[in-house]
Amino acid sequence: MENSFFSNLKCRECGKLYPKQAIHVCDFDFGPLEAVYDYEAIRGKLTRQLIESRPQSMWRYRELLPIDGEPTVGRQVGFTPLVKADRLAKALGIRELYIKNDTVNYPTLSFKDRVVSVALSRARELGFEVVACASTGNLANSVAANAASAGLKSYVLIPADLEQGKVLGSLVYGTQVVAIHGAYDQVNRLCSEIAGKYGWGFVNVNLRPYYAEGSKTMGFEIAEQLGWRLPQHTVIPMASGSLLTKIHKAYKEFIDLGLVEKTPFSVHGAQATGCSPISTSLKRGSDLVKPVAKPQTIAKSLAIGTPADGYYAIHSMNQTGGSADDCSDEEIIEGIRLLAEHEGIFAETAGGVTVGCAKKLIASGKIPADSSAVLCITGNGLKTQEALLNQCGAPRVINPSLREFEDQIYQPDLAAAF
Amino acid sequence: MAEEKTRLWLMFPARLITRPIIWELAKKFEVVTNIRQASITDEVGLLSLSFQGERSEIKAAIAWLEEMGVKVEPVEINTIEG
């Protein structure tokens, strides 16, 4: 079926319209391009009933995703659980709390599968045979896996000093992994050059307008899973800031289309203290994001010193009455443990950032204690286990003897007394 | 050698904001600069522009800017993601 609703790409700075090709910046002012839709045509056609009748994946909102035909890559991605987190709510001191749990997103256990499935479905429509990305972790894994399942050749560019464990998570899918020596800035510019030169579908460069729209599905799902209403507060981790702007866009689209009531909502951003250019600017009351030259945090998936969407993320937070905070490595680990010990969800370090910052925002009253909030947990803790080494204690070792067990581990008489 | 064109964002620290860096660059290197956007406060200067010239001249101009303390990013700003 031809999707006639995705109409153009549009410059976010000057509003100039562009055709739906593999382009990502405006010729005039170099502003980023974004997908736009014919909302008039969608209104009335896309109903709650129609969405609910479709398979439980992110593609149930396909009228609001930038592809022309049916999705061909990642058709099972998304519709992850929205978990009512009563125990964590109590621990953080808030009336109602939910976890949007993308630690179990299919197939590579992070929210990146959402953006990659849109980028690769569009890459196929545009005729690309080779797809690529530059990544230090989750994005690389997702491009490699989704490209493999779609039969596309893929290249993953990484900094040469990346840990072996993360490299393996891409190599296993048969992708071409290219490790580049050099400082971050040089590697960053080379990736831009490579993307421009070989006619590849570079998911986070020339396919970025398509890729970024995939993040909206996290917002759509939250609203639907809450019973077709918007959460009062949403806490979102920020690397480039793109996810936060897209969840904001998703909520606005649902309001505009009459799929949810227009109720007040705030989007809040979470960063690691060792790389917090966006939250620092917001706290200073500025929308100019000063780069962080050397990010230093265990939350490596958020360690982007020059966030491309920082300016737009600040505007989303300001427009919705949202706020931002940052947390230290110790607070990130505490956040991971809080989530694991109260809800049984093991998040990667970015999840620790989200929980840690939510705790601060609730304590400071920026998220009121009598309100309701959703925390966006974007990746699985099995991917960043090294961050928790020696942080969770150790098993207690005994010999195969019941007496030792009762002497050292568990005393039934004492237990009964309690 | 064929000419190349590259699109960049430059970020100037506060101490360089009043210095005519782009004029100096044009005097030193055979690179055509074409400014598309600029935003300047007393704390930071942001400039988007294109460089056109021989690859070696463009690379030398970028190295000179970085030596000066200007942060040079591709037009996408960050291409490497988590």
Side-chain angles (χ1 to χ4, degrees), chain A residues 27 188 193 204 208 284, chain B residues 36 43 55 77 79 81:
Chain A
D27 284 341
N188 196 31
E193 275 193 280
N204 55 333
R208 191 168 182 89
R284 285 168 50 246
Chain B
R36 300 305 182 86
E43 286 183 65
R55 184 176 175 78
I77 303 184
T79 64
E81 298 208 11

Side-chain angles (χ1 to χ4, degrees), chain A residues 185-186 189 193, chain B residues 6-10 25 29 31 49 51 55-74:
Chain A
D185 290 6
Q186 293 167 324
R189 283 202 299 274
E193 275 193 280
Chain B
T6 187
R7 300 176 297 187
L8 301 167
W9 277 94
L10 308 185
L25 185 140
F29 303 96
V31 169
L49 78 180
F51 281 4
R55 184 176 175 78
S56 57
E57 280 292 289
I58 291 176
K59 289 197 91 161
I62 290 173
W64 177 77
L65 284 168
E66 287 184 322
E67 204 175 299
M68 208 74 68
V70 178
K71 198 159 173 52
V72 183
E73 303 283 352

